[in-house]
Amino acid sequence: MSINTSAATAGTASNSSFTILLGRILLAVIFLLSGFGKLTAISGTAAYFGSMGLPVPTVTAVVVGLIELLGGLAILVGFQTRIAAWVLAIFTIATGLVAHTGWADQMQMIQFLKNLAITGGFILLASSGAGAYSIDAKRD
């Protein structure tokens, strides 16, 4: 009796690509919304960044908003996914260390741990790549 392993492998690859796509969508949503929000409310974002003591708050607001929006878009469509995932992983850890280190406050600890979890997702994505349902797959 012979088992058709190529059909089983194709099914597994398809399932894997679908779950990678789903993961990309879920990771991208927070960055797309956050980046769009920052870029459409620069003065408010800059004021908040200034209150945190960040340098050149307006420039920082624009840069952060662009990283979030463009990085989220790259992850969503699977364009330069490994690079975008590493950039957003580093960005997310840095954000946690800048904005969520008041760990005596349980909400700040939860926010920091959320950043760690998101970073883990990006590291997995950087390792696995974008999957078949992506611009990256069409370019290879």
Side-chain angles (χ1 to χ4, degrees):
M1 179 173 183
S2 171
I3 297 175
N4 184 350
T5 56
S6 63
T9 303
T12 302
S14 178
N15 288 340
S16 175
S17 289
F18 177 76
T19 57
I20 292 171
L21 171 63
L22 182 59
R24 288 192 352 247
I25 292 167
L26 295 174
L27 283 167
V29 167
I30 192 170
F31 290 89
L32 290 168
L33 293 175
S34 186
F36 181 79
K38 284 178 179 69
L39 292 172
T40 56
I42 292 291
S43 62
T45 304
Y48 175 67
F49 285 175
S51 74
M52 293 175 56
L54 294 175
V56 234
T58 301
V59 173
T60 302
V62 171
V63 170
V64 166
L66 287 173
I67 289 170
E68 290 177 341
L69 185 65
L70 297 177
L73 186 59
I75 294 297
L76 179 68
V77 300
F79 177 73
Q80 296 292 321
T81 306
R82 292 178 193 269
I83 295 167
W86 276 115
V87 167
L88 287 175
I90 293 164
F91 172 83
T92 303
I93 282 293
T95 300
L97 292 171
V98 168
H100 303 301
T101 55
W103 299 333
D105 175 355
Q106 186 174 6
M107 285 308 298
Q108 287 300 313
M109 176 60 86
I110 290 168
Q111 292 296 319
F112 182 76
L113 293 173
K114 170 206 46 116
N115 280 39
L116 285 181
I118 292 169
T119 299
F122 281 130
I123 291 170
L124 284 169
L125 190 56
S127 175
S128 72
Y133 307 122
S134 67
I135 292 174
D136 289 347
K138 306 298 182 241
R139 295 170 28 150
D140 290 339

